[in-house]
Amino acid sequence: MEETVEDPPTSAVLLDHCHFSQVIFNSVEKFYIPGGDITCYYTLTQHFIPRRKDWIGIFRVGWKTTREYYTFMWVTLPADLNSESAKQQEVQFKAYYLPKDDEYYQFCYVDQDGAVRGASIPFQFRPENEEDILVVTTQGEVEEIEQHNKELCKENRELKDSCVSLQKQNSDMQATLQKKQEELETLKSINKKLEQTMKEQKDCWETELLQLKEQNQKMSSENEKMGVRVDQLQAQLSNQGKEMEKLVQGVQDKTEQLEHLKEENGQLFCSLTEQREHQKKLEQTVEEMKQKETTAAKKQQELMEPRNKKTAVEELLVQEVEHLKAKVEAGKACFLEKYKECQRLHKQIRQLRAATRQDQKSQQEPMGMGSQEPPVSTVIG
């Protein structure tokens, strides 16, 4: 994995709070020869799950926090954590980034929270010496080695020159990197301000949108209420129109009945006048008959000698008296019946007049018009 300029996640957690048993480092040498790349082999334990920002650093022995790393490499996430091959992992450190002294160092696995999950045994960066290896050579081999050493020295000088050139390039690149980082920080600051402005604008738009939605809901509710009210008013207006038609028709019917009653009242008045005249004539006739009856009775008493004998004249007078009595009684009964019917008609006229006044009074408010009681003649018996 290539090393990037991004700093790894670290923490100030002390060694007492680290867990060194979750990642195990394998095949760690006692020392590594300077000038060459080294490969770090490690094994993930069963319950440990690596994450994207985990890294392996080279620390000088005696370190206190994960911020004291010398160099680091990002770990590679396995494709399948459940496979056996996913547990065996490795990273390669380039020679250029390795320490140049002979101090003791060790590999440490650090997760993205900055906590140490595993550490290797200490090792050094130094060349092999006579204490490490015993070589038995011949004269020819010595000459061959000397020749090889000369070539190595030459190559070493070339590498030193190349190293100087690379250091100069590295210095230039560091300056360029510093400039790019400053530009990046400027862009980050501008981006942060733009994000803040966009967030404020978004909040403002969301607030306005919420207000518009509330206004829209309120207007929709009011429109629905107005629609219901309009329907109610239309239905009420239709009902009032029908009631008005009924009232107008009722007034017309009452007016016709009143005119008809006026005609009947006039007829009854004439009939009552005739009945009164006839009654007067009957009373005069009865009075005359009573006088005749009295006169006849007197004559009967004078002329009647034996009480058990009656003349034809007396019999005739008696019959005439009885007939006159019957006519008087019949006239009285007819007069009484006509009088009762006249009283009943007067009562109906008063009821119709009161009903007409009530109808006209109830029509004044919806019609906005005054009512005038039709003229009705009153007959007093």
Side-chain angles (χ1 to χ4, degrees), residues 8 12 17 34 37 49 54 57 70 84 145 152 203 220 228 268 276 278 290 318 335 344 358 364:
H17 302 283
D37 300 339
I49 300 176
D54 292 358
Y70 183 86
E84 186 64 28
I145 289 173
L152 288 176
D203 294 340
S220 299
V228 172
L268 288 172
R276 285 178 178 176
H278 184 62
K290 284 182 179 180
V318 170
F335 175 77
R344 182 178 60 81
Q358 185 66 29
Q364 285 178 354

Side-chain angles (χ1 to χ4, degrees), residues 81-299:
L81 292 174
N82 297 323
S83 64
E84 186 64 28
S85 60
K87 303 299 181 181
Q88 305 295 330
Q89 298 292 320
E90 63 181 55
V91 294
Q92 188 177 56
F93 289 88
K94 297 297 182 180
Y96 179 78
Y97 299 101
L98 297 176
K100 303 298 187 291
D101 55 26
D102 58 354
E103 296 289 337
Y104 282 92
Y105 292 88
Q106 65 181 149
F107 298 116
C108 291
Y109 188 104
V110 185
D111 64 12
Q112 69 177 20
D113 297 325
V116 178
R117 300 300 179 182
S120 71
I121 60 174
F123 55 85
Q124 290 179 289
F125 293 94
R126 64 177 177 81
E128 295 179 343
N129 53 32
E130 294 179 357
E131 296 178 358
D132 298 323
I133 185 169
L134 179 62
V135 181
V136 179
T137 60
T138 62
Q139 182 64 32
E141 290 175 344
V142 171
E143 291 176 358
E144 184 178 352
I145 289 173
E146 288 179 353
Q147 181 65 31
H148 184 62
N149 285 336
K150 289 179 181 180
E151 292 176 357
L152 288 176
C153 289
K154 181 181 179 181
E155 185 177 353
N156 187 28
R157 286 193 299 270
E158 292 176 354
L159 287 174
K160 284 182 179 180
D161 295 338
S162 176
C163 182
V164 171
S165 177
L166 289 174
Q167 285 178 350
K168 185 177 182 304
Q169 292 179 5
N170 183 48
S171 177
D172 295 339
M173 291 179 66
Q174 289 290 341
T176 304
L177 179 61
Q178 181 67 26
K179 184 178 179 181
K180 295 295 183 183
Q181 286 181 344
E182 292 176 356
E183 293 177 355
L184 180 62
E185 291 298 326
T186 303
L187 291 175
K188 284 183 178 179
S189 177
I190 295 174
N191 186 41
K192 186 176 181 180
K193 291 181 181 178
L194 289 175
E195 288 179 351
Q196 182 67 25
T197 304
M198 289 180 63
K199 185 178 182 299
E200 293 175 355
Q201 187 66 33
K202 183 180 178 182
D203 294 340
C204 181
W205 288 344
E206 288 178 352
T207 303
E208 291 179 356
L209 181 60
L210 183 61
Q211 292 176 353
L212 289 174
K213 286 183 178 179
E214 292 177 353
Q215 291 178 1
N216 188 24
Q217 291 178 355
K218 185 177 181 181
M219 291 180 66
S220 299
S221 177
E222 291 179 355
N223 288 336
E224 291 179 358
K225 291 180 181 179
M226 291 295 292
V228 172
R229 181 59 179 166
V230 168
D231 293 338
Q232 292 176 351
L233 290 175
Q234 288 180 349
Q236 185 178 359
L237 185 61
S238 177
N239 293 332
Q240 289 181 352
K242 292 179 180 179
E243 291 178 359
M244 185 68 68
E245 292 177 357
K246 290 180 180 180
L247 290 173
V248 171
Q249 184 64 36
V251 170
Q252 292 178 354
D253 294 339
K254 295 295 182 181
T255 304
E256 292 177 358
Q257 291 179 6
L258 190 60
E259 294 295 331
H260 183 66
L261 288 174
K262 286 170 67 178
E263 294 178 358
E264 290 183 353
N265 189 22
Q267 294 175 359
L268 288 172
F269 181 75
C270 295
S271 176
L272 184 60
T273 303
E274 293 176 356
Q275 290 291 333
R276 285 178 178 176
E277 293 178 354
H278 184 62
Q279 183 180 2
K280 289 179 180 180
K281 291 179 179 180
L282 287 175
E283 288 176 353
Q284 292 177 359
T285 304
V286 168
E287 189 65 28
E288 291 176 356
M289 293 299 296
K290 284 182 179 180
Q291 292 177 1
K292 288 181 179 181
E293 183 179 1
T294 302
T295 305
K298 289 180 180 181
K299 289 182 178 181

